[in-house]
Amino acid sequence: VSKEHLTLLEGAGPDELRKALDAVADRAQKTAGDTVLIFYYSGHADSGWLRMGGHGISVTELRKRLELMPTKVRIAIVDACQSGAITRSKGGKVVSPFMEDRPVDVEGLVILTSASAAAPAQESDVLRSSFFSHHLMSGLRGPADATGDGTVSALEAYEYAYRFTVQETEGTTGGAQHPTFLYALEGQGDVALTAF
């Protein structure tokens, strides 16, 4: 996203994350028009916690904060072991913006995770990345556009990343890794993540 709309935390603890989410909520409250929040976490997680250094934030708290965020759509992408716990019911670099300013005809919460609640998230030495993030980012560049409409929606991105993550991890010592999702949008259509 554009620099003025980006909050990047590297090596931060849970208190810094909470402050950053509060600041984003403040900014969103004052912003007119359709707002979309994209939250991306790549790191360690276990037993229902995102681990940051010696501390952590529970996935329950994170999900609650996302649900209460004053934006029209909230999208969370969590690439970490056992990250699927957040979908249960009760290194990047800055580039030019990839989302176009366009009306959002849906409202709600989308969460995509790299692994199920009990499974590890695997990384590839060949890809020099996690399987899930690699295929998610690859799909967002165009290959995930299943409808051929020139955009990649949240659902298309998930389906693409799921298919290739499972396919490429089936033969690993860790076994097939199954990304999960929570998709709670109301309205018409889907939310586009990239357009080209």
Side-chain angles (χ1 to χ4, degrees):
V1 296
S2 55
K3 287 183 182 179
E4 67 268 21
H5 297 130
L6 174 70
T7 302
L8 176 65
L9 302 178
E10 293 178 316
D15 289 338
E16 290 95 339
L17 176 58
R18 288 181 183 102
K19 286 178 191 168
L21 288 171
D22 289 344
V24 168
D26 260 0
R27 238 181 8 225
Q29 195 83 36
K30 298 169 186 163
T31 303
D34 296 335
T35 52
V36 176
L37 167 75
I38 298 176
F39 172 88
Y40 175 80
Y41 173 84
S42 179
H44 300 290
D46 62 40
S47 307
W49 290 81
L50 300 184
R51 299 292 178 187
M52 301 166 191
H55 307 286
I57 185 170
S58 74
V59 294
T60 304
E61 178 185 347
L62 176 61
R63 180 167 166 177
K64 190 71 170 169
R65 283 176 168 273
L66 292 170
E67 288 171 344
L68 296 174
M69 192 64 65
T71 58
K72 194 165 184 183
V73 177
R74 285 89 59 209
I75 298 171
I77 301 168
V78 182
D79 187 356
C81 295
Q82 302 177 9
S83 51
I86 196 171
T87 61
R88 290 182 179 164
S89 299
K90 276 238 173 131
K93 81 178 185 187
V94 178
V95 295
S96 26
F98 61 83
M99 291 184 68
E100 294 180 358
D101 287 332
R102 60 171 77 191
V104 179
D105 295 328
V106 293
E107 195 170 334
L109 175 67
V110 175
I111 301 174
L112 312 179
T113 71
S114 62
S116 66
Q122 300 177 54
E123 294 184 353
S124 165
D125 290 335
V126 174
L127 298 175
R128 299 176 68 187
S129 171
S130 78
F131 287 100
F132 175 77
S133 283
H134 172 79
H135 293 300
L136 181 68
M137 296 304 158
S138 296
L140 288 171
R141 291 185 175 103
D145 179 16
T147 61
D149 66 354
T151 66
V152 175
S153 71
L155 188 56
E156 286 174 322
Y158 169 76
E159 288 173 344
Y160 183 90
Y162 178 91
R163 181 171 66 247
F164 286 102
T165 299
V166 171
Q167 180 180 312
E168 290 197 7
T169 56
E170 281 178 330
T172 65
T173 55
Q177 175 182 324
H178 295 88
T180 67
F181 75 98
L182 177 140
Y183 205 75
L185 291 179
E186 297 177 356
Q188 296 180 354
D190 199 349
V191 59
L193 295 183
T194 55
F196 41 90

